[in-house]
Amino acid sequence: MFATIRKELLLLMRDPGGLLLLLIMPAALIIVMALVQDAPYRDYQEMKFEILVANNDKGTVGKKIIEGLRKNKSFIVLDNLDGKMVSEHQLRNHLLEGSYQMGIVIPPNATVSLVNTSNKVANQMATSIGVSGVLPVNASEDSSTIELLFDPVVKPSFRSSLNFALNQYITQVKIEILLDRMSKMNGGDGADIGIDALNVLAVNERSLNKEAQISESMNSVQHNVPAWAIFGMFLIVVPISGNMIRERDEGSAVRIQLIPNANKRVGLGKIVFYIMVCMLQFFVMLLVGIFILPFFDLPRLSLGPHPEALLPVAFAIAFAAVNYGYFIGSIFKTANQAMPFGAISVVLFSAVGGVWVPVEILPDMMKKVALTSPLHWSLEGVNEVILRGKGIMGVWKPVVVLLASGGLLSILPVFFGKK
């Protein structure tokens, strides 16, 4: 067994292309994918949306909406271009040309309509509580509509972001106007009651793990480093299957089979050696995420509060990956069959397993298919540690699934070998 480990090490050192595939290429893949996917994984608070605003309202409502949007760090509000107020016609032309992607048109009667409606509500409330004060109401000024306009290429998620924010600020303005009208009904000047008086319930994001000192959310680094490190580990199928088929073609495999009980020990030596290679590869990729990615203005990879739990997870991933390569090398007769099949199957496993896109956005049928992918369970085990902050006892399910699949793949070549 130790002679086999030494032999595999010599073969790997003599194959610089294999070393490039196992270490340098996954590192380059991690850096490129983290840079490419950095923007989609960033929160909306870190992104800037330019919004053209045609404010036709002469009252306070249009100004308050613009002020609210400007307080949001996600929006760059432009209500004038070249020193002139943006008109609705100008706004539509810019959106059609694609020079801007989002626009808001505030109607001329926005303030009048909102004050009129607030007066109606205030009068109804006053009547219900027995207050005699009455505010003037104009029956012709019932409602108005603020228009949202988008460049056709804008993604639905961006549309929803602006729609939600705008509705939030409009609701705030409605409440402020209503409080102002009710204050005037009571004889006040409207300045003694503000929206801040209703700020009783606050929203504060908390970590699920109250005991964890580190609370990380998903970003391009937290996803891409473990995902593509696992992808690189499963590409071990290429050198394993290639070496096994080369040994059969050269006749050395037949000589080993002629030695009593040598075949099992040689197989065990190969598995042990490549498990060590895969685990080395995994932790080297983690070091890339910790020390190299920050040089590209990317977040630093966090390993969570229990990084020691990554050891059994890495071993289980390596065990499944190596035995898959051993399985592919056993069932195919030529390198032209084994190596393309092994590489493409790993790509397919990664596609359905959550490496490329999150499993949560896949159709229901594909979510079930993802459970058959060892890369899905591998990524799930790593995420349990670095994102959910779980320890060794919290990763037992993915570890058991990976060890069971690896064990099954190690048994099947025995039957193929006898055949």
Side-chain angles (χ1 to χ4, degrees), residues 53 55 61-70 77 79 106:
V53 179
N55 183 16
V61 170
K63 295 179 181 179
K64 288 186 176 182
I65 292 175
I66 293 175
E67 289 174 1
L69 290 172
R70 280 179 173 158
V77 181
D79 58 348
I106 302 175

Side-chain angles (χ1 to χ4, degrees), residues 75 96 98 111-112 118 137 222 236 240 245 255 267 275 278 356 369 391:
F75 301 130
L96 288 173
T111 300
V112 175
S118 298
V137 174
Q222 296 295 124
I236 199 76
I240 291 179
I245 293 173
R255 295 186 180 186
I275 285 177
C278 283
W356 292 4
V369 174

Side-chain angles (χ1 to χ4, degrees), residues 97-259:
E97 293 170 359
S99 53
Y100 294 92
Q101 281 70 48
M102 304 179 185
I104 300 174
V105 178
I106 302 175
N109 59 340
T111 300
V112 175
S113 298
L114 185 54
V115 169
N116 189 66
T117 304
S118 298
N119 287 347
K120 286 182 180 179
V121 175
N123 289 339
Q124 292 174 359
M125 295 177 65
T127 302
S128 64
I129 62 177
V131 178
S132 59
V134 177
L135 295 173
V137 174
N138 187 349
S140 62
E141 296 290 345
D142 282 335
S143 63
S144 60
T145 303
I146 295 177
E147 296 182 356
L148 277 180
L149 302 174
F150 295 97
D151 181 2
V153 303
V154 173
K155 294 182 179 180
S157 59
F158 296 164
R159 297 171 183 242
S160 300
S161 176
L162 178 57
N163 201 329
F164 175 79
L166 185 59
N167 276 289
Q168 183 181 15
Y169 293 123
I170 290 174
T171 302
Q172 181 175 334
V173 172
K174 288 179 180 178
I175 296 174
E176 288 181 350
I177 296 293
L178 179 59
L179 291 175
D180 176 77
R181 308 314 293 174
M182 292 180 65
S183 175
K184 288 186 176 181
M185 176 177 287
N186 291 329
D189 59 359
D192 54 345
I193 299 178
I195 189 65
D196 294 336
L198 300 178
N199 190 20
V200 179
L201 296 177
V203 179
N204 192 7
E205 184 177 348
R206 299 286 186 183
S207 172
L208 282 174
N209 188 359
K210 294 182 179 180
E211 298 178 357
Q213 298 297 320
I214 302 174
S215 178
E216 286 295 331
S217 59
M218 179 63 77
N219 55 46
S220 63
V221 172
Q222 296 295 124
H223 170 75
N224 282 295
V225 172
W228 295 107
I230 292 168
F231 178 79
M233 291 171 71
F234 272 87
L235 281 181
I236 199 76
V237 63
V238 174
I240 291 179
S241 59
N243 288 343
M244 291 178 65
I245 293 173
R246 191 182 305 111
E247 288 177 359
R248 288 205 300 267
D249 293 341
E250 294 172 351
S252 58
V254 177
R255 295 186 180 186
I256 292 173
Q257 288 176 344
L258 292 174
I259 304 173

Side-chain angles (χ1 to χ4, degrees), residues 21 32 40 60 62 66 148 193 234 238 252 268 299 302 304 312 331 393 396:
L21 179 67
V32 171
T60 59
I66 293 175
L148 277 180
I193 299 178
F234 272 87
V238 174
S252 58
L268 181 61
S302 171
I331 63 175
M393 298 304 298
W396 67 269

